[in-house]
Amino acid sequence: QNKGYAKAFEKIEARYVFQGSRIASSFREDTRCAASLEDLGQWLLDEYCGGAGPAAKEGEEAKAKEEREARLAKLEAMQQPYPYHFICDSFFITAKVLHLGFMKSVRDFLENMKELGRHQHQMRRLQSSRQIWGAGPYASRTEQQLQQIEAWVSEHKEMHLCYECAIQEEGLLHQTLQYYKLMCSWLLTFVLPKEGETNPAAVTA
């Protein structure tokens, strides 16, 4: 176990993504997956404010309402700015930066590659049609479509190469992978606190 990482991990608080951090609101949108805002609010109440009390279960409406208001007040107080440690700030801000920057570039790169393949297939089909139609009635229309697709393919090939150069830059790729390896190790402390320990070496490359 790496004692340095163990001490650093103690400074990282999972509540950062919900509680009064400078980027908490955007994190809530990223992490709630398919849940509605009402589902998210209920989960926060249950997770951090103790859930519904016995009064609610017994159907005592007045007490249930009072308990809910108390939990809502507690949740509202939890949203206020909180002095998180610099390590915690840096850890989650890095995650957000990678999510908006590097990982978005990867997604755009893959989407562009998919569209490029589709357009290249269509371009080959039109090239075959040009040979078939020759000087027929659809020749000019086919030629116009082919020129448009060839221009699109040429432009997006350049974009593909730009994305590829940026994403495969050795220093950036290495540091990004190191960060996600660190994050996986931190997450293991919640799932397997004893086996995972707090050592990034517990996550195989």
Side-chain angles (χ1 to χ4, degrees):
Q1 180 180 354
N2 189 313
K3 299 298 183 182
Y5 281 112
K7 291 180 179 179
F9 282 179
E10 289 175 0
K11 304 293 191 299
I12 301 174
E13 300 182 49
R15 290 191 181 190
Y16 185 95
V17 297
F18 297 110
Q19 180 180 349
S21 68
R22 67 188 73 181
I23 54 177
S25 59
S26 58
F27 260 118
R28 283 197 292 272
E29 288 301 309
D30 291 341
T31 56
R32 67 186 180 92
C33 298
S36 66
L37 289 174
E38 291 76 14
D39 292 337
L40 174 63
Q42 186 59 51
W43 180 84
L44 286 171
L45 286 172
D46 293 341
E47 185 72 13
Y48 295 118
C49 303
K57 296 178 181 179
E58 295 171 6
E60 299 177 14
E61 295 183 4
K63 291 184 178 180
K65 183 178 180 181
E66 184 179 339
E67 286 182 4
R68 181 170 179 80
E69 289 177 353
R71 297 201 312 275
L72 285 171
K74 185 176 179 181
L75 181 60
E76 184 178 349
M78 194 180 76
Q79 303 290 340
Q80 299 304 311
Y82 180 82
Y84 288 101
H85 194 278
F86 173 76
I87 291 176
C88 185
D89 244 349
S90 300
F91 183 80
F92 286 107
I93 288 176
T94 300
K96 190 64 179 178
V97 168
L98 288 174
H99 178 71
L100 295 176
F102 183 80
M103 296 310 298
K104 184 180 185 303
S105 296
V106 171
R107 290 192 296 271
D108 290 345
F109 169 72
L110 294 175
E111 185 63 28
N112 182 67
M113 185 167 60
K114 188 192 331 182
E115 286 296 310
L116 190 58
R118 188 172 66 83
H119 279 73
Q120 285 176 326
H121 175 73
Q122 189 176 0
M123 183 176 68
R124 288 191 294 269
R125 184 174 59 82
L126 286 172
Q127 287 171 341
S128 300
S129 298
R130 181 172 59 179
Q131 296 174 357
I132 294 172
W133 286 109
Y138 297 104
S140 59
R141 180 181 176 182
T142 301
E143 191 65 31
Q144 183 181 8
Q145 290 179 336
L146 184 57
Q147 289 176 359
Q148 291 175 347
I149 289 183
E150 284 177 343
W152 190 96
V153 168
S154 176
E155 178 184 352
H156 283 74
K157 272 187 176 180
E158 292 179 8
M159 290 174 57
H160 178 84
L161 292 173
C162 289
Y163 274 123
E164 194 171 44
C165 289
I167 292 171
Q168 294 185 1
E169 199 279 318
E170 186 176 353
L172 174 62
L173 188 59
H174 174 73
Q175 292 186 19
T176 300
L177 292 174
Q178 286 295 103
Y179 172 79
Y180 283 119
K181 183 178 178 181
L182 183 71
M183 176 177 277
C184 288
S185 182
W186 175 69
L187 290 172
L188 277 176
T189 63
F190 293 98
V191 182
L192 301 170
K194 293 184 178 180
E195 290 82 350
E197 294 294 337
T198 50
N199 182 6
V203 183
T204 57

